[in-house]
Amino acid sequence: MRRPRGRTVLVLLTVATLLGACSGAASQAPAGGGQITLHALFMKQAAYSDADVKAMTDAFTAANPNITVVPEYVGYDALHDKIVTDQVGGSGLYDIVLMDTPWPAEFVKAGIVTDITDKIPADFKNGVFPSAWTAATYNGRYYGVPWINDTKFFFYNKQMFAQAGITSAPKTWDDVVADAKAIKAKGIVQYPIVASWKQVEAVICDWTQLAAVFGGANFIDAQGNATFNTGGGLDALKFMKQLLDDGLVNPASLGFIEDDVNSTMAAGQAAMALNWTYGYAVMNDPKQSKVAGQIAVVASPGEGSVATSGVNGGMSLAVTKSSKHPDEALKYALWIASEKSQEMDTSLAFPMWKASFDNPEVTKANPDFFAAAKVQFANLVARPVVPYYTKLSNALQVAIQLALQGKETPEQALNDVAAKLPDLQK
Amino acid sequence: MSQGIRTRTPVIGQTRVRKPWPESWVAAAFIAPAALVILLVVVVPLARAAWMSLFDISLVRPGDEPFVGLGNYIEQLTSADFWAATWRALWFTVVSTALELGLGLALALLMDQPLRFRWLLRTLVILPWALPTIVNALMWRWIDNAEYGALNALLTQVGILHSYQVWLSNSDLAMWMVILADVWKMTPLVAILLLAGLQSVSPELVEAAKVDGASTIQAFRHVLLPLIMPVILIVLVLRTMEAFKVFDIVWIMTGGGPANATQTIAIYAYQTAYQGYDFGRGAALGYLIALVIMVLAAIYLRLLGRLGRA
């Protein structure tokens, strides 16, 4: 027997459930009691480890008990896209995001980051290395608190060098080639050099650093024309290709990021490499390295009149436009970027404070490395800070890979990107 | 249709029970919640993306979003990068689907035999498919690692290779390695679906053919294969559509590199929209991908229809 009344009730129930679901979503109350939660997005690849961030954060929350910080970590190559999808996609979860050197222009234009020019304390403006500000400024305005001051240093295996009869660290890239050939000839390792030349940002960093040595620090001139396809940029790419052709660079480098460089060096399968500061600690860590204690570090080699060069690997902490607590977020950024926080652990990242380099209490951890860093930090070159940087970088990554894979000549590959530049700038 | 089952207003004693709602109203009320959800999460975004694809929307130029009509579509259809990525996706689709179908059919035929450990075989076979794609892709990235990957170790130990080979960083090999990983993951699903098809075929038919003098191959070719053809076509439709828009396994294994050798159309669209901030172009690309998939599906469905009539 049918029960129409029951059917009506069912329909009403369905509608009620639906309405309930809708109103439930809308009526989520904000956290009460003055307790504030900040979401911060960091990377897990180089520089400060998650343990470092935790130590800095714990100190901050101990001093500010009404603020809870939830840090989150992603690999570098996911960082940019995660920030964009979070902010542009509308979820706007993060209050603080880590911003790389070439990104401020993009993020400012896209309305992702907040202008904090008037809120930067004077001691930051005076005390922090000028190079560290590249990752925080655009058009003379400030959008981030500098946090990481990094560049690629030259690491080499002292024992392998000694076995090959080499007595001093290379000062030029010519020396590097000669040393690599000697090590290969002795059969100490099959491929003396390992590099992070995967089709990601890492290869752009190495190429930029080499281009500066060969006399081409700029990618783009003031009129927006390509300069990377001539001079230093072109010579650097030819040099990289030659290293591969001579069997001096491990061909697997074309698929490697920085962590792979560390593990290849740590396995004793390479004698030299360029890498960020953290490489030193990782390659010399007995827990993860077969060659702990054998890895030495010097400033990156130069060539001709250029003594050394370094790609600017600085990163800053930016307060997002979506943040509901921008003041607290900035307070947190300033705290973990303070001289005190930065000097807590200098094994994975150098402080960006000039004073730290003259403080023997800080430099005693590794005087040689601090000395190398002081020289190299004075010679940093930046990747272009332009709103279309990611598109340009992607196109250059492909071009460099095409040349290194031998599919196109270095000239051809870079000229193709130069020809496409007006389209990328649109 | 509902007419037939509609009930008359029942009369109990002298009291008239209230007239019930028409069946179609009730049906609509039940469908409404699901329809509303689908409208909100499918139709609205689709319509919005279609609208966006007509504008030159770049996130680095907020407020400046000129109407370009079909400009984004024309730009893509005349772009060498678009066609290169499309051909790569088609190449991936054709090779991986063909291999998955061939191997899946062989596996299904094997599992259909009265083997002693058939239950164990069926359990083991499904494992690769049960793994999440991200786990599968990461696992293959390690297997293919040039320095300490299992593939190099295996091939050198059995003497096939003399020195370690670079797999994922070689632009001539990378696509093959991604296809291998995809085949490893998706063959089990194809095998299970085909096995279901095989089991619906009555064994007497094959036996009858053999009694009439057909060889095993002839029985397979002329009796079994035509009977499971509808299942094969359904598997083909599913796999083709999935493979053409492949993203995750490629993204995790190679990120579209080296030198764009594995940049399929979905990766190209992702890079355009989320790395290049070109949401207008990205939306147009999304619709172009959907168009290709619809064309492929239409071809298969026609084939299926013809098969049904035959």
Side-chain angles (χ1 to χ4, degrees), chain A residues 129 149 153 339 343 349-360 362-363 369-375 377:
Chain A
F129 273 110
N149 189 28
F153 295 97
E339 196 175 332
E343 288 172 356
F350 285 108
M352 54 180 193
W353 294 86
K354 292 181 239 175
S356 304
F357 283 72
D358 299 321
N359 181 351
V362 177
T363 59
F369 204 179
F370 268 93
K374 203 173 179 181
V375 177
F377 279 143

Side-chain angles (χ1 to χ4, degrees), chain B residues 5-268:
Chain B
I5 54 164
R6 181 167 291 181
T7 46
R8 286 268 170 90
T9 308
V11 181
I12 302 165
Q14 295 298 316
T15 329
R16 269 182 74 89
V17 174
R18 197 152 48 100
K19 220 177 156 188
W21 291 12
E23 290 264 338
S24 53
W25 282 37
V26 179
F30 277 115
I31 293 168
L36 191 68
V37 171
I38 290 173
L39 182 80
L40 288 177
V41 301
V42 178
V43 180
V44 172
L46 271 177
R48 178 144 166 73
W51 183 246
M52 280 167 74
S53 74
L54 304 177
F55 293 82
D56 181 8
I57 301 175
S58 173
L59 294 186
V60 291
R61 285 186 281 99
D64 175 23
E65 294 166 357
F67 179 78
V68 291
L70 294 177
N72 286 326
Y73 292 92
I74 293 163
E75 189 185 63
Q76 290 305 332
L77 290 172
T78 53
S79 135
D81 290 344
F82 169 79
W83 287 108
T86 305
W87 287 122
R88 268 181 229 117
L90 280 175
W91 174 241
F92 175 90
T93 305
V94 169
V95 177
S96 64
T97 307
L99 286 173
E100 283 156 20
L101 193 66
L103 290 171
L105 188 57
L107 261 176
L109 287 169
L110 185 68
M111 290 191 290
D112 199 32
Q113 303 306 310
L115 300 172
R116 182 185 273 255
F117 292 108
R118 190 160 68 165
W119 60 273
L120 184 66
L121 182 67
R122 285 182 185 175
T123 314
L124 285 178
V125 156
I126 202 71
L127 274 180
W129 183 66
L131 282 180
T133 308
I134 182 155
V135 176
N136 183 41
L138 284 172
M139 182 186 78
W140 277 97
R141 203 168 80 182
W142 280 108
I143 292 174
D144 296 343
N145 185 296
E147 290 296 317
Y148 22 78
L151 185 64
N152 269 335
L154 177 75
L155 294 180
T156 46
Q157 275 164 26
V158 298
I160 295 173
L161 279 184
H162 295 294
S163 64
Y164 279 12
Q165 177 65 246
V166 173
W167 302 105
L168 291 175
S169 326
N170 181 324
S171 56
D172 296 324
L173 291 176
M175 186 58 108
W176 288 105
M177 303 321 290
V178 176
I179 289 175
L180 177 67
D182 191 67
V183 168
W184 189 82
K185 177 171 167 58
M186 296 314 297
T187 299
L189 176 69
V190 174
I192 296 292
L193 290 173
L194 292 178
L195 178 64
L198 284 173
Q199 299 211 316
S200 69
V201 176
S202 159
E204 287 89 28
L205 289 171
V206 178
E207 276 162 29
K210 284 190 177 166
V211 168
D212 289 344
S215 68
T216 307
I217 292 176
Q218 280 172 325
F220 170 74
R221 167 79 185 76
H222 298 288
V223 179
L224 210 48
L225 201 58
L227 286 172
I228 60 164
M229 198 44 99
V231 182
I232 291 182
L233 273 176
I234 287 166
V235 168
L236 271 177
V237 174
L238 287 176
R239 283 309 302 142
T240 310
M241 287 161 69
E242 282 269 297
F244 186 73
K245 57 189 174 69
V246 65
F247 179 82
D248 41 11
I249 201 163
V250 184
W251 188 251
I252 295 158
M253 284 183 73
T254 63
N260 278 355
T262 56
Q263 187 204 44
T264 57
I265 189 69
I267 290 194
Y268 176 65

Side-chain angles (χ1 to χ4, degrees), chain A residues 1-2 4-5 7-8 10-11 14 18 77 80-81 84-85 88 106-107 109-112 190-191 198-199 250-252 254-256 260 263-264 269 387 390-391 394 398 401-402 405 407 420 423 426, chain B residues 5 7 12 17-18 20-21 23 26 29-30 33 36 59-62 75 81 141 145-148 163 166 169-172 251 253-260 270-271 274-279 281:
Chain A
M1 197 186 142
R2 303 255 169 164
R5 208 168 284 257
R7 207 183 292 169
T8 314
L10 243 176
V11 171
T14 315
L18 241 183
D77 292 307
H80 174 274
D81 300 358
V84 175
T85 39
V88 178
E106 288 179 82
F107 284 6
K109 290 265 181 178
I112 290 175
Q190 193 184 0
Y191 300 112
K198 191 179 175 175
Q199 186 182 320
N250 190 329
L254 297 185
F256 278 179
D260 303 308
S263 40
T264 307
Q269 286 172 350
T390 308
K391 283 196 260 185
N394 281 350
V398 174
Q401 283 269 330
L402 284 169
Q405 300 262 351
K407 300 282 174 197
K420 256 200 251 173
D423 187 43
K426 264 201 277 188
Chain B
I5 54 164
T7 46
I12 302 165
V17 174
R18 197 152 48 100
W21 291 12
E23 290 264 338
V26 179
F30 277 115
L36 191 68
L59 294 186
V60 291
R61 285 186 281 99
E75 189 185 63
D81 290 344
R141 203 168 80 182
N145 185 296
E147 290 296 317
Y148 22 78
S163 64
V166 173
S169 326
N170 181 324
S171 56
D172 296 324
W251 188 251
M253 284 183 73
T254 63
N260 278 355
Y270 174 82
Q271 289 174 334
Y274 287 101
Q275 296 188 322
Y277 294 98
D278 280 326
F279 275 42
R281 289 180 193 178

Side-chain angles (χ1 to χ4, degrees), chain A residues 3 39 51 71 93 99 118 156 222 237 251 254 282 317 337 358 424:
Chain A
R3 276 189 229 107
H39 290 269
L93 173 68
M99 177 161 68
D118 305 327
Y156 67 100
L237 185 53
L254 297 185
V282 176
L317 297 164
D358 299 321
L424 300 177

